[in-house]
Amino acid sequence: MSEHSKDGRNGKNSPNGKFQHSDTGCRLALAAMLLSLMLVLSGCSAVANYAEGTDRSSPSPTPTDLPYSTQSGFGQPDESISTPRPLQNKTPRSDINVSLVEESLVTELNTYRTRKNLGQLVSDPRLAIIARNHSHDMAKQGFFSHTNPDGLTSEDRARRNSYNCGISAENIHHDGWKTGNLSTEDELAEETIGAFIQSPPHNQAMLIIDLTTVGIGIYVTSDRHVYVTMMLCGS
């Protein structure tokens, strides 16, 4: 059974084509690079990987205070990254501002990290384009996974665009627009971050101490399916 069909969190597409809501907080996943650990939670797959020797015992300074590397994350110069072509539209619908959801989700993530005494992340529009293309790919090809039908993982997608991360992770989420209590862009962002927080491996990915960069890309289909990809990157 595919990850898409196994998942049972809010916004799962039922056989009759309507969205059903549950309290499991599933329908999301994360993936990263180097040392792998795969967990299965309530029908949700997650992979959390960290670079060997990473010290996760104390908070990092904010990105503006970091002696950040120009070889990874937001510090990379434009000429070193082969950013893919941006989507012409983030949705064919006229009743949602997808950019506002993305911005709100970045704010929610940084507010959460601040509460945990961790440094805030820089939102990199170049990484967001890579993330958004994956959300669009999931929507158009009908899958829900970190690995696309061509076998490319989140690491592959970053690497093929020369986007370098010493530490990386990815969270993905599938929901429904204007279903249940989701009637505003802020509510959609809050529900997404809440679902990630409720799942230990996805929560752990957002709290990696040495992260510096985030790219969030969302695509919403004409029939209200919301696909979210959150790519996380550190030195």
Side-chain angles (χ1 to χ4, degrees), residues 32-225:
M33 61 190 298
L34 302 178
L35 182 62
S36 306
L37 170 64
M38 177 163 285
L39 299 172
V40 177
L41 290 171
S42 302
C44 237
S45 297
V47 181
N49 306 318
Y50 308 99
E52 292 185 11
T54 298
D55 180 5
R56 297 187 292 277
S57 61
S58 61
S60 295
T62 59
T64 53
D65 296 330
L66 287 171
Y68 63 86
S69 171
T70 58
Q71 302 302 314
S72 66
F74 72 91
Q76 298 171 84
D78 288 342
E79 58 269 21
S80 71
I81 301 173
S82 54
T83 307
R85 184 187 301 274
L87 298 179
Q88 288 187 339
N89 295 296
K90 299 179 182 181
T91 180
R93 299 183 65 88
S94 61
D95 61 348
I96 182 172
N97 184 334
V98 176
S99 295
L100 180 57
V101 182
E102 293 171 342
E103 293 166 6
S104 295
L105 190 49
V106 170
T107 299
E108 292 283 348
L109 172 61
N110 277 328
T111 298
Y112 181 54
R113 283 180 61 89
T114 297
R115 291 205 308 267
K116 297 295 184 178
N117 297 316
L118 297 173
Q120 296 194 0
L121 307 183
V122 173
S123 179
D124 190 339
R126 303 168 302 181
L127 187 59
I129 291 173
I130 298 172
R132 191 175 303 110
N133 280 7
H134 183 59
S135 294
H136 180 262
D137 199 22
M138 288 191 289
K140 293 303 181 183
Q141 297 200 55
F143 71 97
F144 182 72
S145 174
H146 300 290
T147 304
N148 68 19
D150 294 327
L152 296 177
T153 66
S154 59
E155 295 174 26
D156 296 328
R157 292 190 293 277
R159 189 180 301 114
R160 74 186 304 183
N161 292 290
S162 301
Y163 199 97
N164 302 318
C165 296
I167 299 172
S168 70
E170 180 183 78
N171 285 350
I172 56 177
H173 177 77
H174 178 211
D175 219 315
W177 172 238
K178 291 195 172 179
T179 60
N181 296 322
L182 302 182
S183 59
T184 70
E185 286 84 355
D186 285 342
E187 287 172 349
L188 179 55
E190 290 169 4
E191 152 32 54
T192 301
I193 198 74
F196 287 149
I197 290 171
Q198 289 171 17
S199 174
H202 308 98
N203 183 58
Q204 184 180 14
M206 295 189 297
L207 298 180
I208 297 172
I209 287 176
D210 293 317
L211 292 176
T212 61
T213 310
V214 62
I216 294 176
I218 298 174
Y219 187 79
V220 181
T221 67
S222 59
D223 55 350
R224 299 182 289 110
H225 288 268

Side-chain angles (χ1 to χ4, degrees), residues 1-22 24 26-27 42-43 173-176 179 225:
M1 182 180 294
S2 70
E3 186 171 2
H4 184 278
S5 59
K6 286 192 298 183
D7 208 295
R9 73 163 315 282
N10 289 357
K12 179 179 178 181
N13 193 20
S14 64
N16 63 9
K18 296 181 179 179
F19 288 97
Q20 295 177 332
H21 284 260
S22 66
T24 60
C26 214
R27 201 33 130 180
S42 302
H173 177 77
H174 178 211
D175 219 315
T179 60
H225 288 268

